[in-house]
Amino acid sequence: REERVAAAATRASASRPAPIAAMMVQQQQVAPGGAKGALKSVSDSPAAAKAKAWFWWAFGKTSSVTWVVTTTSLVVLLPLIMEVKGDMIMADQEKAMTLQQQGYSDAQIQQILSQQQQQ
């Protein structure tokens, strides 16, 4: 078969200009055999084209949904986390003040607060 393609290309090149003959040879090339040929024939099928179109559609939708969820969580949750952390710091400071008023030393206060944070 390859010899016939080469012979046809030679005849085509004699009767047509060089660029057109080269295009004809490219169009007449035989798909490779074996697994590579099978994959090539499957990838050119209409079912593969539909699957590819569906994949890109799904990718576009999920990327949009992911963007919305991520930005919404950053806008809503980040301030909430910062506020909770600030409240925890204020609670520790109030606890340290009450312990200081009760007469505990700074070293004892640090030890008590670190023990409470570990729990």
Side-chain angles (χ1 to χ4, degrees):
R1 177 160 170 113
E2 291 177 9
E3 293 172 2
R4 284 187 272 158
V5 170
T10 306
R11 280 182 270 143
S13 64
S15 62
R16 291 187 177 88
I20 296 174
M23 287 179 10
M24 287 184 67
V25 170
Q26 288 176 354
Q27 290 174 354
Q28 293 176 355
Q29 288 180 345
V30 179
K36 190 174 182 181
L39 289 174
K40 177 74 174 148
S41 65
V42 167
S43 68
D44 292 340
S45 71
K50 274 187 175 180
K52 185 178 178 182
W54 179 85
F55 169 78
W56 285 112
W57 174 84
F59 178 75
K61 295 297 180 186
T62 56
S63 65
S64 298
V65 169
T66 303
W67 173 257
V68 168
V69 168
T70 304
T71 54
T72 302
S73 11
L74 282 173
V75 168
V76 172
L77 294 178
L78 193 60
L80 178 65
I81 291 169
M82 299 302 275
E83 186 66 29
V84 168
K85 188 171 181 155
D87 287 346
M88 289 174 60
I89 291 171
M90 289 290 286
D92 285 344
Q93 288 176 347
E94 288 174 4
K95 201 175 290 181
M97 289 287 277
T98 56
L99 290 173
Q100 216 172 28
Q101 289 173 353
Q102 292 174 358
Y104 288 98
S105 68
D106 289 337
Q108 290 173 327
I109 294 172
Q110 290 297 327
Q111 184 180 6
I112 292 170
L113 291 178
S114 64
Q115 286 174 355
Q116 288 178 353
Q117 286 176 354
Q118 289 175 357
Q119 294 175 356

